[in-house]
Every structure is written in structure tokens, then in C-alpha cells.
Amino acid sequence: MNQTDTRLLRVAIEVARRSVANGNQPFGAVLADAQGNLLLEGENTVETDRDCTGHAETNLMRKASRTYDREFLAGCTLYTSAEPCAMCAGAIFWGNVKRVVYALAIEPLYDIIQDHPNNPSLYMHAAEVLGRATQPWEVAGPAPELLEEASEIHIDYWGNL
């Protein structure tokens, strides 16, 4: 990870904060081009849209695939506040974004959420899903320097439900 990755992960964490402010779960994702320019943002909308597939990364990939072609997306990076779930990793695969960077890994996230009924989870790493692709995908994370920042929003949210 580099300074651009850290900067854009912080943007994804801010999107997660905005997601909570808008009545949703604390997940956020952003898409950047190969030069690190911010292109799109995606909030979690599970609660407000009453849509179990309204995860930040999946919402972002819906926007991205409507906005950009697959070849362009192959050179982009998706930054996310927490490691993508299996569904979101699948959306990233189908959208052809070849690089994923996340702040908070599954293990500390699930230590916070535990078995909360509002967030049933498949305990599977994004690299496990994307590692099954016929072409290489890069999955980078977690970001140790952002562990406290990325965890804080989840501790506040899941502890107050």
C-alpha cells in the first residue's frame, strides 16, 4: 500500500460514516482510476432501501458498470472501508475491477459484529473469491495504520443497535 491507497481508504471510511448518517450500516467504498483520481462513491443502503444486496461495494459496482466500460474498469482500484464479503467480491469480479484495497479485515470486523442478526455474514475472504478467477486480481489489506479509524465506526454502530 502507498500514500494514495491510504488517502482513498480514508475517503471510503468517510463514505461509511455518511452511510450511518443516512440510516444505513457503516460500510463505504470508492472507485479510483489508475492515477488515483476519485471517480465514484458507494454507500451501504441495506436499511433504507430494504435491500439485502445494498452493500457499498455492490452499489458502487452497479454505478461503475453503467458508467465505464470493462476495459477501463480493469485499470481501476476499488477502495473499501472493510473487506468485501463474498457477494461484493463477486460484483467486483463481474465488473472487472482488478484491484481491491480494504481498511478493516474480516476477523476484527466479525469480532465487533459477532452474530448480530442485522448482518448475517459468510466468513470468506475476498481473496478467496477473487483467487478463483481465471485472471489475476490484486487484493490488498488490511491497512494496519487505519485499524482504529476503520474499527471505531463499527464499534459505535453495532454496539448501539
Side-chain angles (χ1 to χ4, degrees):
M1 270 192 241
N2 57 43
Q3 290 180 339
T4 298
D5 293 337
T6 302
R7 175 179 59 84
L8 289 165
L9 284 173
R10 282 199 166 101
V11 174
I13 293 167
E14 284 305 314
V15 173
R17 286 188 181 101
R18 190 172 66 229
S19 179
V20 171
N22 289 333
N24 288 292
Q25 296 175 358
F27 298 95
V30 299
L31 184 71
D33 66 15
Q35 291 73 43
N37 299 307
L38 182 64
L39 301 173
L40 297 170
E41 298 180 353
E43 291 182 31
N44 179 287
T45 58
V46 167
E47 302 298 335
T48 56
D49 286 353
R50 296 182 51 96
D51 177 1
C52 63
T53 67
H55 294 195
E57 300 91 341
T58 298
N59 287 339
L60 179 62
M61 289 311 305
R62 285 184 188 114
K63 287 183 205 177
S65 64
R66 287 191 299 257
T67 307
Y68 303 106
D69 64 42
R70 289 179 51 76
E71 292 75 30
F72 178 79
L73 289 172
C76 292
T77 300
L78 187 145
Y79 294 90
T80 182
S81 60
E83 186 171 356
C85 71
M87 176 186 70
C88 291
I92 293 163
F93 167 78
W94 291 113
N96 205 38
V97 174
K98 300 281 186 170
R99 184 168 186 257
V100 178
V101 181
Y102 62 89
L104 185 63
I106 279 179
E107 291 84 359
L109 176 63
Y110 288 174
D111 285 347
I112 295 165
I113 298 173
Q114 298 187 358
D115 289 330
H116 200 287
N118 287 13
N119 194 35
S121 301
L122 292 171
Y123 196 92
M124 181 179 285
H125 290 279
E128 290 179 71
V129 176
L130 294 171
R132 300 286 184 154
T134 57
Q135 298 174 352
W137 253 257
E138 181 184 347
V139 179
E145 67 276 18
L146 298 176
L147 178 62
E148 186 176 329
E149 189 175 339
S151 297
E152 179 182 87
I153 189 169
H154 289 281
I155 293 167
D156 291 345
Y157 180 83
W158 300 104
N160 290 322
L161 285 183

